[in-house]
Each structure stands twice: as C-alpha cells, then as structure tokens.
Amino acid sequence: MTDRNFRAILTGSFSTPCADNPTVAMMEAAYAHDGIDARYVNCDVKAENLEGAVKGALAMEWVGFNCSLPHKVEVIKYLDEVAESASIIGAVNCVSIRDGKLTGNNTDGKGFLASLKKVTDPSGKKILLLGAGGAARAIAVELGLAGAKHITIANRKPEKAEAIAELIRKNTKSEAKAVAWSGDIAVPEGTDVVINATSIGLGDKEALPPVDLGTLSQGVVVADVIPNPPATKFLREAKSRDCITLDGLGMLVNQGVIGAELWLGRKLNEDAMVNTLQEIFGVSSD
C-alpha cells in the first residue's frame, strides 16, 4: 500500500477561442514552482455549453475556474453569489467553488489595481482612462472603490464612456465624467494617472493610441493593459518624457495571483509567472 496522493487539484478556464491564452502556462509554472499538485485546464467552451461546463466543474470538484469571452456576463446566472465589485461591473471572470457553492469575482480591475499600487496609491488621484470596454469598466470600478478623486473616461462613442461614468458616480464616492475621444486627446492638467485600456498596441509594438504626447507631464504614471508586447509604444513614448510607466504584464500576473488566493487560499510566486510570460512573449527581464 502507498500513502501517496494521486489526485490533483483542478482549476482552469472556460472561453472560446482559447488556444492563444497563455494563462495555463503562467499558472502551471507557479503551481510547479510552489510544489502544488494542481492543474490548470484551458477549455474551449462554446456559448451553448457554458451551463454544462459549470456543472461539470462542480461535479468534478474543481476548486475554481476563470471565464473569459464570451462568458463573463452569462456565467452569473449559474452562480450562488457574486462579489461586490463584480456585481457593480456586471461581469465575472473568476469563479471559486467551496462546499458546493459557486462565488463569482472579477479580477480584471483587481489585477490592475494591485499592479498600480506598486507605483502609486490611487486614493485621491485624478485619472484619465482611455477606452470604455470591459477592461476599462472593471478598472474604473476598482479605482472608484479604492478612492480615486476623479476619473475621466474617454471613448470614441461617448455614450459608452458615460455609462461607465454613471456607474462610478452611483456606486462609489469618486467623481467621474465622460469625454468624446476625437483626434489626439490631450491629457488634462493635474492628471496623476493615464491608463490605456484599449486594445491598441496588442501584438503591434508600433501601434499608438491617439494621445497628444506633448501633454504628458514628468512624473505622471502612464499604464497600459496590453501584456504583449509589454513595452508598448505608448509606454516607450511616456518613458522618454520621464513618466512612470506600468506595463500590462503586472495586471495579468496579479489576476493569476488573486485567482489562486480565491481558489487555494495561498499566494503563488509572482516571479515564476512573470518569467514564464516573458519567455512566451520573447522579452527580456530588464
């Protein structure tokens, strides 16, 4: 007889398409680094199969899973509870399973916030947020809950930006307003943090969101949610103007760290995750 345990802890992700999602490599590297017998299964789940996938995870006693497009809203109907910020955002990307109960969280904004706090505390800060998609919405809510003084949301379709601004005003103590983004947007004087929450720059190291770079002041924190390439042109331009820059790798890593804490009750090694992503994206550690 043997006392060895051959049963691994099960985690994973439900999305479609899923083949280009590097989270599985990042998470399993961290599991291995910390000696945790766990697996992260990257599952291609079509919209019509989401309910079955959720029931399957519950039946097989997974401890949790991530949800990406197109499931972040639809998954809510299959959960027992939704955390405050996820409820405000109206989207869930991380589900934990404990004692047969499914609880939804949103780690998009939380991951960004954890990354941002390493360079500045958003409390009392004036922030310019570029974009009004799902990532922008999650980030705005977390910034509002963290006590940001004022958030300006810029978008080509101002009504989408206004929807986020109204969400912030209604659910947090932060001031918020929407502005139409046409041409090169100027960074308002007194802005402390500028965040590119658009997809501009994803997979294209020369793509640049239309921003009047001359209005970036020295010492302003400029962040990008794009993880690949980490050093986007927007960040390179900001760094050349003596801004403090923050790349999207940190957001992705912190999402994994927060998710694992919800699932396993412990913090995973960030360096193992960062090193794995840098290897995948072909970037150096400096």
Side-chain angles (χ1 to χ4, degrees):
M1 294 292 291
T2 177
D3 58 0
R4 288 183 63 189
N5 185 352
F6 294 98
R7 183 189 182 193
I9 298 167
L10 296 177
T11 63
S13 176
F14 300 157
S15 65
T16 188
C18 74
D20 62 348
N21 184 357
T23 303
V24 55
M26 176 183 83
M27 295 301 294
E28 292 211 332
Y31 292 158
H33 180 277
D34 288 1
I36 301 171
D37 185 13
R39 301 291 180 271
Y40 188 97
V41 187
N42 190 21
C43 304
D44 195 305
V45 176
K46 305 297 188 291
E48 63 270 21
N49 294 324
L50 178 61
E51 181 179 8
V54 173
K55 288 181 177 179
L58 184 62
M60 292 184 286
E61 299 186 358
W62 287 31
V63 297
F65 57 88
N66 290 124
C67 267
S68 193
L69 295 175
H71 307 310
K72 292 185 180 184
V73 176
E74 186 69 14
V75 73
I76 293 174
K77 69 171 64 173
Y78 307 119
L79 306 180
D80 299 299
E81 188 177 326
V82 177
E84 180 192 17
S85 62
S87 181
I88 296 171
I89 295 162
V92 162
N93 76 330
C94 183
V95 176
S96 57
I97 306 173
R98 186 164 299 173
D99 299 324
K101 181 180 178 180
L102 291 89
T103 302
N105 262 276
N106 191 305
T107 61
D108 284 332
K110 293 182 187 298
F112 176 82
L113 191 65
S115 188
L116 179 65
K117 283 185 173 179
K118 292 181 179 180
V119 295
T120 189
D121 185 342
S123 179
K125 299 294 196 300
K126 293 182 178 180
I127 296 166
L128 173 61
L129 181 62
L130 305 175
R137 187 182 184 93
I139 289 169
V141 167
E142 295 294 348
L143 289 171
L145 293 173
K149 181 178 182 180
H150 189 283
I151 305 171
T152 299
I153 303 108
N155 196 59
R156 299 290 187 194
K157 296 180 178 178
E159 63 274 13
K160 289 187 66 177
E162 176 55 34
I164 296 177
E166 185 177 358
L167 196 67
I168 301 310
R169 294 191 297 263
K170 182 179 178 181
N171 293 283
T172 77
K173 296 180 180 179
S174 298
E175 300 170 5
K177 74 171 184 179
V179 297
W181 188 357
S182 58
D184 288 354
I185 190 168
V187 177
E189 192 173 344
T191 296
D192 300 297
V193 182
V194 180
I195 305 162
N196 174 36
T198 75
S199 60
I200 299 172
L202 182 61
D204 185 350
K205 65 180 182 180
E206 296 304 319
L208 184 67
V211 175
D212 182 352
L213 298 172
T215 60
L216 284 174
S217 303
Q218 180 180 353
V220 169
V221 175
V222 177
D224 208 322
V225 302
I226 302 296
N228 182 24
T232 61
K233 186 168 186 179
F234 186 46
L235 293 184
R236 299 197 308 271
E237 291 285 354
K239 190 171 185 178
S240 73
R241 289 163 173 78
D242 295 322
C243 295
I244 300 167
T245 59
L246 188 65
D247 67 42
L249 273 188
M251 176 178 171
L252 190 58
V253 167
N254 281 307
Q255 284 179 292
V257 170
I258 294 166
E261 285 187 276
L262 292 169
W263 299 334
L264 308 174
R266 59 180 291 177
K267 187 172 182 177
L268 298 182
N269 184 278
E270 293 182 29
D271 289 340
M273 296 187 184
V274 171
N275 293 339
T276 299
L277 290 176
Q278 287 178 334
E279 182 179 341
I280 290 169
F281 297 148
V283 297
S284 61
S285 58
D286 46 50

